[in-house]
Amino acid sequence: SRATPRWLFGLTLTPLIHPAAAAAAAQQQQQQQHPNLNPTGPGGNNGYNNPQNPKWGGSGSSQNPGPQPLALIAANKEPLVLTVASFAVTKLAYVRLTKLFREKYLAEKGVDVRFRLTFAGSGVQARAVIDGLPADMVALALPLDVQKIADAGLLSQEWSKAYPLNSVVCETTVALVVRPGNFRSIHTWEDLLQPGLQIVVANPKTAGVARWIFLALWGSKMKKGDAAAREYVTKVFDNVVVQPRDAREASDVFYRQKLGDVLLTYENEVVLTNQVYGAEKALPYVVPTPNVRIECPLALVDKVLDSRPPAARQAAHDFAKFLFTSDAQVEFGKVGFRTNRRLSKVTPDHLIGQRSQIKLWTVDKELKGWAAAQRKFFDAGQVLDQIQADVGARRMEARKNKKR
């Protein structure tokens, strides 16, 4: 069955009504397909959704702001609601950032902007928006996922030029999380080939993190040619024991269920997970080099915003601009992301003393961009499918031989 995005509500709201029939129909379809995702209540998102908790924004108005200009909304003190769809591991970052922006915008513009946040694997979110999820903004793990939404006609083909750094709002890289004491001595990419090693990594079919990880694995050998890279990645996948649907679920499998010897995930995800679990339960990790620079972009969904009052587009644009400020980048850094020095000179705590030791490469430079990478690796029947079919066939043969 198709994975569905999970919702986070910091306030109690009535359903957001768009004038455009398409948007209204899309929202009705979303409710029919997923009746547990109720915009009038807190939803079910791992305990973060308590609308009575002032830390997450308190309760909101039961009135729909309607098609009012910005000045009129400010005068009426009605909240303006924006819906943001992002990938799983950005939850805490956007909870904090939307709270900061709301306070700032209310003080400067007199407009109370509230947010509805939805989180899932990046590919799941892209499909949900294409299928009708009425998101005003998307902030996804892959430039390719945003491009798919553009190709569906929901946002501008020039989306990457709208904001600084090709609209890449946060960055990270791949980390290898190990058990206490690192008893398997995992320090480099090569160490993932140990016989009997149990690897946990998300599913590349549903999770942006897994596609980045696939490319990081490939990139560690790409200078030796495609044959060497394919052989290496195949051997790594031989050691994979489970593929959860996204980075957050992979962390749950490794940390809470204690399955596996090593978890491959975003660096920011392990930093944040260690913060949540606390010093006593935090797990060690390494960031191998060379590694891929993971670039996570945002975009405004024009098709949705065109059906809303001008104040909604203005607020969405102002929120997007805010995310590229130094203050916002510091918040990204606090939950484990890598800040771009062109946006903020503040080095996140987890990168102090480490930054210069890791050599990062980009998909644009080494693999000719995400469109080319998709065609080569992730389209149906291409390298990823071939590797997984090869691994699956050998595992099935091994089971047959074991029964004989």
Side-chain angles (χ1 to χ4, degrees):
S1 60
R2 178 178 290 175
T4 57
R6 287 151 287 174
W7 287 81
L8 173 62
F9 299 92
L11 62 164
T12 303
L13 294 169
T14 54
L16 195 61
I17 300 174
H18 296 297
Q27 185 170 355
Q28 183 178 9
Q29 180 185 38
Q30 180 76 8
Q31 290 301 306
Q32 291 172 346
Q33 292 176 347
H34 313 296
N36 292 328
L37 304 184
N38 178 9
T40 64
N45 209 16
N46 300 330
Y48 285 100
N49 299 346
N50 183 359
Q52 304 305 319
N53 185 347
K55 182 177 180 182
W56 307 123
S59 61
S61 170
S62 62
Q63 301 291 324
N64 186 350
Q68 304 175 59
L70 190 62
L72 205 55
I73 291 177
N76 290 338
K77 303 300 182 184
E78 292 289 350
L80 189 156
V81 183
L82 297 178
T83 300
V84 179
S86 190
F87 58 108
V89 301
T90 61
K91 179 188 294 182
L92 185 55
Y94 279 107
V95 166
R96 292 177 176 178
L97 287 163
T98 52
K99 182 176 183 293
L100 287 176
F101 176 78
R102 179 190 172 199
E103 294 170 351
K104 176 182 173 67
Y105 211 63
L106 185 60
E108 295 180 356
K109 301 290 181 70
V111 178
D112 187 7
V113 179
R114 306 290 183 94
F115 291 85
R116 300 194 306 179
L117 307 177
T118 168
F119 301 94
S122 186
V124 173
Q125 292 290 56
R127 173 47 55 189
V129 172
I130 292 170
D131 286 348
L133 178 70
D136 301 294
M137 175 190 290
V138 291
L140 301 180
L142 302 177
L144 184 67
D145 286 335
V146 179
Q147 187 58 45
K148 288 178 181 177
I149 301 172
D151 292 342
L154 301 180
L155 55 86
S156 169
Q157 288 288 339
E158 301 296 312
W159 63 267
S160 66
K161 298 178 182 179
Y163 300 102
L165 306 177
N166 291 322
S167 296
V168 172
V169 71
C170 58
E171 299 180 6
T172 186
T173 191
V174 175
L176 314 180
V177 192
V178 298
R179 295 299 175 191
N182 195 7
F183 64 93
R184 297 301 298 253
S185 297
I186 297 170
H187 302 283
T188 69
W189 295 115
E190 199 69 23
D191 295 329
L192 297 178
L193 301 184
Q194 296 178 43
L197 187 72
Q198 294 189 336
I199 297 174
V200 176
V201 63
N203 189 340
K205 295 295 185 181
T206 58
V209 62
R211 296 193 178 200
W212 282 113
I213 290 168
F214 183 95
L215 295 184
L217 293 168
W218 186 275
S220 71
K221 300 294 181 183
M222 64 185 172
K223 298 300 184 184
K224 296 183 178 181
D226 281 4
R230 178 191 286 260
E231 180 183 9
Y232 169 74
V233 176
T234 301
K235 289 180 178 179
V236 171
F237 271 75
D238 279 333
N239 284 339
V240 172
V241 293
V242 64
Q243 293 183 305
R245 67 176 179 174
D246 58 39
R248 182 55 47 82
E249 291 192 3
S251 292
D252 183 75
V253 167
F254 194 74
Y255 277 79
R256 187 175 301 176
Q257 301 178 33
K258 302 186 184 305
L259 178 63
D261 301 316
V262 57
L263 166 67
L264 278 59
T265 190
Y266 293 123
E267 179 188 45
N268 65 284
E269 170 65 1
V270 61
V271 171
L272 177 58
T273 304
N274 280 344
Q275 290 175 7
V276 171
Y277 274 79
E280 292 186 359
K281 295 182 179 180
L283 295 177
Y285 71 97
V286 296
V287 178
T289 188
N291 214 318
V292 65
R293 182 189 296 275
I294 296 176
E295 300 172 311
C296 309
L298 62 75
L300 302 187
V301 185
D302 295 314
K303 191 74 171 181
V304 173
L305 288 169
D306 285 347
S307 70
R308 301 199 60 200
R313 178 177 288 278
Q314 185 63 54
H317 174 62
D318 289 342
F319 177 57
K321 288 196 301 181
F322 166 74
L323 295 175
F324 289 90
T325 65
S326 180
D327 288 346
Q329 290 295 307
V330 167
E331 291 300 320
F332 276 118
K334 288 179 181 178
V335 293
F337 285 96
R338 291 176 168 244
T339 53
N340 191 300
R341 291 195 177 278
R342 283 177 284 180
L343 299 178
S344 176
K345 302 300 182 183
V346 179
T347 300
D349 290 345
H350 69 283
L351 294 181
I352 294 176
Q354 183 223 86
R355 205 163 201 161
S356 61
Q357 301 172 13
I358 308 300
K359 182 179 180 181
L360 299 178
W361 56 271
T362 67
V363 171
D364 283 346
K365 183 176 180 180
E366 300 294 341
L367 298 175
K368 300 180 181 179
W370 260 103
Q374 172 69 27
R375 290 191 297 270
K376 179 175 181 176
F377 298 106
F378 305 121
D379 275 356
Q382 298 307 309
V383 175
L384 172 64
D385 284 352
Q386 294 166 15
I387 289 175
Q388 290 192 322
D390 181 26
V391 170
R394 282 185 286 105
R395 287 183 177 178
M396 185 174 294
E397 185 65 26
R399 290 192 196 102
K400 290 180 180 179
N401 291 337
K402 190 175 182 180
K403 292 179 180 180
R404 292 172 183 170

